[in-house]
Amino acid sequence: MAGDLGVGPDVLKQGGKDILEVLKPVKEVDLGDEAKQASEIGDDDAAAAMVTFCATWEGGAAFLADCAATLAEGLNKANGDFDDTDQAIRDSVNSVKKVLV
């Protein structure tokens, strides 16, 4: 049953796992060595641009990783909420069955 979310709980859980898996290489973005080598370019403006690029790219990767991790956390919470709601409904149905029997 998909409900209003349009997908079942297993899809939510897998989506969260998939996002975290994709983030592994993003968390490893480190352009410090490349930025340090910028001075070897031989042109001060090009070296400064390289340092700026490396810092911006690292910052952007970290920002995207944080956003994606927040999304994965939301999917995992939605999955948990879905499971909790299903269990509450089962418990309610079972209590009604016991009263009717």
Side-chain angles (χ1 to χ4, degrees), residues 6-93:
V7 296
D10 292 338
V11 174
L12 296 172
K13 190 173 185 177
Q14 187 61 48
K17 285 181 182 179
D18 290 346
I19 289 171
L20 294 176
E21 185 65 30
V22 168
L23 288 179
K24 286 180 182 179
V26 175
K27 291 180 180 180
E28 298 171 7
V29 171
D30 180 4
L31 299 175
D33 289 341
E34 288 78 3
K36 289 176 187 173
Q37 294 174 0
S39 62
E40 297 174 15
I41 293 174
D43 180 278
D44 290 344
D45 290 336
M50 180 67 169
V51 169
T52 300
F53 171 82
C54 290
T56 302
W57 190 260
E58 282 183 3
F63 175 75
L64 289 174
D66 287 346
C67 291
T70 300
L71 177 59
E73 183 180 313
L75 288 173
N76 288 330
K77 181 173 180 345
N79 179 63
D81 291 347
F82 201 117
D83 287 341
D84 291 347
T85 301
D86 277 356
Q87 186 60 48
I89 290 169
R90 279 192 294 278
D91 292 346
S92 295
V93 168

